[in-house]
Amino acid sequence: MKFFVDTAEIADIKALAETGLLDGVTTNPSLIAKSGRKILDVIAEICAIVPGPVSAEVAATEYDAIMREAAVLREIAHNVTIKVPLTPDGLRACRTLANEGVMVNVTLCFSAAQALLAAKAGAAFISPFVGRLDDIGQDGMELISDIVTIYNNYPNFRTEVLVASIRHPIHVVQAAKLGAHVATLPPNVLRMLYNHPLTDKGLAAFLADWSKTGQTIA
Ligand code: G3P
């Protein structure tokens, strides 16, 4: 399973890149707004830190305008992935861009039918939002299960399931059990994955015993 981080905060991206666990980055208009910076500057900086796919989302909603914005975004770096909304115009742009060899991340997916359309449009990634479905009393993971099943039925689909709107480590584990290709994690959730109280307790005991030996290794 690939781990992307869902943020536009450079300090977080730098720190997480150092872990060696980061395969890519996703951003969206809200995350760019939160950063308080210009999208072109932020995406360029992220692409220089992380060699994997970096999703930059268009703000346009009509085909021609989406294509114009995509042309600007894809100039930033070779690893920019163009993120488009799951709308008729977004999917049309997805098809055009995919035909030109551009990686596209189709976002705001809330149903299996929508995910099927994105695969047919040649998306590199489909982003189903599990947390936002959970928020309205629907089971986000059931959607992941459905999409994985559907995509597995058609080996000619190359679209990877990128689980988005993740809120906690259980989402990540469940997505991995279902065979989703990618999880995009808020930085705090990625850090939470390390944690277990028995790890902390066990390490403290080992170190206490070790200090009694008076030995050093290096
Ligand atoms: O970037 C898309 C997605 O991960 C947003 O998550 O937390 O705003 O629902 P959230």
Side-chain angles (χ1 to χ4, degrees):
M1 179 182 239
K2 284 177 258 188
F3 281 177
F4 292 0
V5 66
D6 198 28
T7 185
E9 298 301 328
I10 298 296
D12 276 327
I13 293 167
K14 271 190 182 148
L16 292 169
E18 282 171 7
T19 67
L21 299 173
L22 204 55
D23 301 297
V25 178
T26 52
T27 65
N28 62 37
S30 302
L31 293 171
I32 297 289
K34 196 172 157 202
S35 78
R37 300 186 60 204
K38 302 258 184 227
I39 182 168
L40 300 190
D41 296 342
V42 181
I43 298 296
E45 217 172 311
I46 297 171
C47 287
I49 299 166
V50 179
V54 174
S55 288
E57 186 162 340
V58 297
T61 55
E62 286 166 357
Y63 176 80
D64 289 332
I66 291 174
M67 292 305 295
R68 278 196 298 277
E69 290 190 357
V72 172
L73 295 172
R74 60 194 273 202
E75 278 303 306
I76 297 173
H78 74 279
N79 53 332
V80 168
T81 298
I82 304 299
K83 202 169 174 188
V84 300
L86 206 154
T87 60
D89 285 54
L91 290 184
R92 183 179 161 207
C94 176
R95 170 44 69 201
T96 305
L97 291 164
N99 287 348
E100 293 172 9
V102 177
M103 284 193 300
V104 181
N105 177 357
V106 176
T107 189
L108 291 166
C109 171
F110 294 96
S111 80
Q114 291 179 321
L116 185 55
L117 291 177
K120 287 185 66 66
F125 303 103
I126 181 67
S127 290
F129 281 27
V130 293
R132 292 193 196 186
L133 279 173
D134 291 355
D135 288 345
I136 60 159
Q138 291 184 21
D139 186 350
M141 276 305 142
E142 203 173 301
L143 174 59
I144 302 305
S145 174
D146 286 347
I147 299 172
V148 169
T149 301
I150 291 168
Y151 283 9
N152 284 344
N153 284 343
Y154 299 96
N156 61 320
F157 285 165
R158 295 276 178 268
T159 308
E160 297 193 5
V161 180
L162 190 168
V163 182
S165 187
I166 281 178
R167 300 281 161 75
H168 47 69
I170 294 170
H171 274 151
V172 185
V173 172
Q174 287 175 329
K177 285 167 83 170
L178 292 169
H181 306 87
V182 191
T184 189
L185 314 172
N188 66 320
V189 175
L190 209 161
R191 293 190 184 101
M192 276 188 238
L193 295 181
Y194 286 93
N195 298 340
H196 197 286
L198 290 181
T199 303
D200 298 338
K201 191 178 166 197
L203 183 59
F206 284 157
L207 294 180
D209 289 340
W210 180 251
S211 72
K212 288 179 210 151
T213 72
Q215 299 181 52
T216 55
I217 296 173

